[in-house]
Amino acid sequence: MANSVTQEYMQIPAVTRAYTTACVLTTAAVQLEFITPFQLYFNPDLILKKYQVWRLITNFLFFGPLGFSFLFNMIFLYRYCRMLEEGSFRGRTADFVYMFLFGGVLMTLFGLFANCSF
């Protein structure tokens, strides 16, 4: 049984597997109170003045507290990332990662002007 779960997990495309796992682990860490959302959110002042550069990444990993909303967010994230990676970006993992990075940079720039924390 455990072997089939591991095999199924390893069949998920690499980028989708890494991003989905990072989102689940980050949310679990917040839920278990290892970290707080205040350590994750996007804050330009803390990034520039206190060099807390992890905030450029972690704001994309936290989807709120565990619950029905989180479950749906993870289902949509997994489903559409997997469809993109296996469909449009089949065999082009670097292009898929580049798309993620490009989208993240654009959302970060828009977040500066719109005062979005996550």
Side-chain angles (χ1 to χ4, degrees), residues 29-57:
V30 170
Q31 192 70 28
L32 295 171
E33 297 181 356
F34 291 132
I35 56 177
T36 67
F38 296 113
Q39 295 170 311
L40 304 175
Y41 77 101
F42 179 70
N43 186 331
D45 292 333
L46 291 175
I47 293 168
L48 296 173
K49 294 178 183 170
K50 299 215 179 206
Y51 306 109
Q52 295 180 1
V53 293
W54 66 83
R55 292 176 184 273
L56 292 170
I57 305 290

Side-chain angles (χ1 to χ4, degrees), residues 45 68 90 92 96:
D45 292 333
F68 200 63
R90 178 181 296 276
R92 300 182 349 211
F96 189 60

Side-chain angles (χ1 to χ4, degrees), residues 17-82:
R17 182 175 60 232
Y19 185 53
T20 305
T21 302
C23 291
V24 169
L25 290 177
T26 302
T27 302
V30 170
Q31 192 70 28
L32 295 171
E33 297 181 356
F34 291 132
I35 56 177
T36 67
F38 296 113
Q39 295 170 311
L40 304 175
Y41 77 101
F42 179 70
N43 186 331
D45 292 333
L46 291 175
I47 293 168
L48 296 173
K49 294 178 183 170
K50 299 215 179 206
Y51 306 109
Q52 295 180 1
V53 293
W54 66 83
R55 292 176 184 273
L56 292 170
I57 305 290
T58 57
N59 64 321
F60 293 109
L61 300 178
F62 182 63
F63 283 84
L66 288 176
F68 200 63
S69 175
F70 173 76
L71 179 66
F72 269 95
N73 281 328
M74 287 300 102
I75 289 170
F76 290 133
L77 174 89
Y78 167 76
R79 182 171 182 232
Y80 292 117
C81 281
R82 185 171 185 159

